[in-house]
Amino acid sequence: MILCTGESLIDMVPDGSGHFRPLSGGAVYNTTVALGRLGQTTGYFWPISRDLFGEQLLRPLAEAGVETGLCPRTDRLTTLAFVTLTGGEARYSFYDEGSAGRMLALEDVPPLPDSVSALFAGGISLVPDPCGAAVEALIAREHDRLPVMLDPNIRPFFIQDADAYRARLNRLIPMADIVKLSGDDLEWLYPDDKPEDAARRVLDLGPTIVLQTGGASGARALWSGETVSAPAIRVEVADTIGAGDTFNAGVLASLNEQKVLSKAGLAGITPGQLRDALTLGARAAAITVSRHGANPPWAHELG
């Protein structure tokens, strides 16, 4: 089972008439739903509110077959993210203080069942405490035995203490086997470097694979061999909400199906296996951007 840990929230998305529609979202949540829809055995660990939005968040997880038994329930409120769209690009304003997810504490981190075979983490859940410290502690406890994929999905406006967050990432990245970074992420981390140079600096910190994504420019995998790339799939873009999250799910699904989503498997991965993973990630993301909101594809939609 691939266990995902990180934020779930409600995206308040403009409907074009001055109103907002509440859609289930959150970077890690989107990846979790996408993995389930792609037919992967998937679990989720994150606090879920007992409010009406918490119930809304549970429904897509259940429909995708995601195991939610590790999710603590709480009376704290669900995080809200109000979305504005500019040229199809999403920007967010978060209402998160004291929310269900943000208040995840170290004592809430459970022992993991033996069925967990890989960890995925990231998003804004890495930024504030106590939840950021809880996720970091989980990864620190489990990374020696489980492969870890990390996607920081950096939102600069959400980061109040940039130095503290950089320090956390500098601790987390060496514990990860796969790190995915967008062009914006790399620019925030290393503003004076070209994207590929920045990605190589991340690789030098210790992960086995660094995935560098660039929207229409496709995706690249930097590792011990020659750089592997896959083009983006051209589609008519409705919006980009959930695109990178779906890409992550496609990559993990491909690696899992190729039976290389393990410490040993990733250490011995081939260029062809990497290319297949990038390609499935790009194909899945293309379907998501072709429709409104974070609505990742089901396995049958990918043929």
Side-chain angles (χ1 to χ4, degrees):
M1 179 172 71
I2 302 171
L3 182 67
C4 303
T5 182
E7 77 272 8
S8 54
L9 50 82
I10 296 295
D11 282 324
M12 303 297 287
V13 180
D15 63 6
S17 64
H19 300 90
F20 288 86
R21 288 185 299 144
L23 301 177
S24 301
V28 176
Y29 176 89
N30 293 338
T31 296
T32 308
V33 171
L35 274 168
R37 289 186 179 186
L38 291 175
Q40 305 304 303
T41 303
T42 307
Y44 188 49
F45 167 57
W46 198 247
I48 301 289
S49 176
R50 295 189 183 92
D51 65 14
L52 76 164
F53 290 131
E55 296 302 318
Q56 177 178 330
L57 288 165
L58 285 172
R59 285 193 292 272
L61 293 169
E63 291 167 358
V66 173
E67 169 58 50
T68 57
L70 291 176
C71 293
R73 300 302 300 275
T74 173
D75 290 328
R76 295 184 181 275
L77 298 177
T78 301
T79 298
L80 302 181
F82 281 81
V83 182
T84 56
L85 299 173
T86 304
E89 293 289 332
R91 296 290 182 265
Y92 301 84
S93 297
F94 291 92
Y95 292 74
D96 187 52
E97 195 68 37
S99 69
R102 184 163 184 165
M103 299 312 292
L104 175 72
L106 291 171
E107 56 267 27
D108 299 321
V109 179
L112 299 187
D114 293 339
S115 58
V116 175
S117 56
L119 282 175
F120 173 79
I124 62 170
S125 53
L126 300 178
V127 180
D129 289 330
C131 66
V135 174
E136 182 178 347
L138 173 62
I139 293 172
R141 191 185 74 191
E142 303 291 345
H143 80 278
D144 282 338
R145 71 182 188 92
L146 295 175
V148 175
M149 180 173 178
L150 186 73
D151 177 8
N153 196 24
I154 297 168
R155 305 293 188 190
F157 54 82
F158 192 79
I159 301 167
Q160 295 184 349
D161 188 337
D163 290 341
Y165 186 49
R166 289 179 189 276
R168 173 161 287 154
L169 291 180
N170 282 333
R171 295 190 298 270
L172 286 171
I173 288 172
M175 293 190 284
D177 301 273
I178 305 170
V179 178
K180 194 273 274 203
L181 296 159
S182 68
D184 288 344
D185 295 335
L186 291 166
E187 184 177 0
W188 187 87
L189 285 169
Y190 300 110
D192 297 327
D193 289 1
K194 295 178 181 178
E196 184 167 352
D197 293 338
R200 291 203 174 277
R201 289 184 66 175
V202 175
L203 187 66
D204 289 342
L205 292 175
T208 303
I209 301 165
V210 172
L211 304 179
Q212 176 189 349
T213 59
S217 62
R220 300 152 61 87
L222 285 74
W223 59 308
S224 59
E226 291 188 11
T227 299
V228 175
S229 61
I233 310 297
R234 291 187 176 275
V235 295
E236 185 174 343
V237 176
D239 63 52
T240 61
I241 298 172
D245 312 325
T246 305
F247 173 85
N248 293 335
V251 167
L252 286 168
S254 177
L255 295 174
N256 201 33
E257 289 171 358
Q258 294 182 83
K259 303 188 184 306
V260 292
L261 189 56
S262 65
K263 291 284 188 180
L266 292 173
I269 199 166
T270 68
Q273 290 168 331
L274 267 177
R275 188 172 293 106
D276 286 348
L278 293 178
T279 299
L280 185 60
R283 289 177 60 209
I287 293 176
T288 297
V289 301
S290 72
R291 49 204 192 190
H292 292 287
N295 185 9
W298 296 83
H300 70 267
E301 295 182 88
L302 291 166

